[in-house]
Amino acid sequence: MKRTLLYALTLCTLIAITCFFGYYQFGLFTSYNSYKAKDDIKNGIVQILILGELGPQEETKKDVAQMFGFDFNRVGGCVVNQPLLNGVEQYNKTVKEYLTKKNGRDWEAAFQEKVKSQFQSQY
């Protein structure tokens, strides 16, 4: 009886630690994570998530992103918690891997160059 109770408590503790680790390290229980990214891509939603304030090139980036087959989606402001930050990081990593397969391995450099040139031509 005591041995069974000890095993049950040990198992519950290990499950709790795994859930806690998954929550904080990978954002598994937040709205955004690598599993959500794969599901979104499968459903035709290709987006890179952004946090924080609007930058000066925000509209230009959104326009250029359309050319590369994705959108930007702001999911948090200036104050975010660590699980959300980790989840967004995992989500974006998965989306960028997809975009690398779709656009080639140098797509990010081409994207940044296009944003820079369009932004400079506007001002």
Side-chain angles (χ1 to χ4, degrees):
M1 178 72 177
K2 287 183 180 183
R3 179 174 273 176
T4 305
L5 183 61
L6 181 63
Y7 286 142
L9 286 174
T10 303
L11 181 62
C12 287
T13 302
L14 289 174
I15 290 171
I17 289 170
T18 302
C19 289
F20 182 77
F21 180 75
Y23 177 72
Y24 279 98
Q25 187 65 27
F26 301 109
L28 291 180
F29 304 111
T30 63
S31 299
Y32 300 101
N33 55 51
S34 61
Y35 300 109
K36 172 72 170 146
K38 290 175 186 175
D39 190 48
D40 283 351
I41 291 167
K42 188 180 354 175
N43 292 322
I45 302 169
V46 183
Q47 60 185 358
I48 292 180
L49 306 177
I50 51 178
L51 304 164
E53 293 182 2
L54 295 173
Q57 299 178 345
E58 196 79 24
E59 290 304 316
T60 306
K61 282 184 173 183
K62 286 184 177 185
D63 293 340
V64 174
Q66 296 293 318
M67 296 178 202
F68 285 81
F70 69 96
D71 292 316
F72 282 104
N73 184 13
R74 181 171 308 286
V75 295
C78 297
V79 179
V80 296
N81 60 24
Q82 192 63 45
L84 177 62
L85 188 63
N86 292 342
V88 166
E89 183 179 303
Q90 293 297 318
Y91 186 100
N92 287 344
K93 180 180 174 189
T94 302
V95 171
K96 287 179 180 182
E97 288 170 359
Y98 167 79
L99 290 170
T100 299
K101 290 177 186 173
K102 181 181 176 189
N103 296 325
R105 70 174 195 208
D106 293 331
W107 75 269
E108 287 186 84
F111 172 78
Q112 293 298 337
E113 187 60 36
K114 187 78 170 164
V115 168
K116 182 180 176 183
S117 67
Q118 278 199 6
F119 186 73
Q120 287 175 344
S121 69
Q122 291 174 351
Y123 297 101

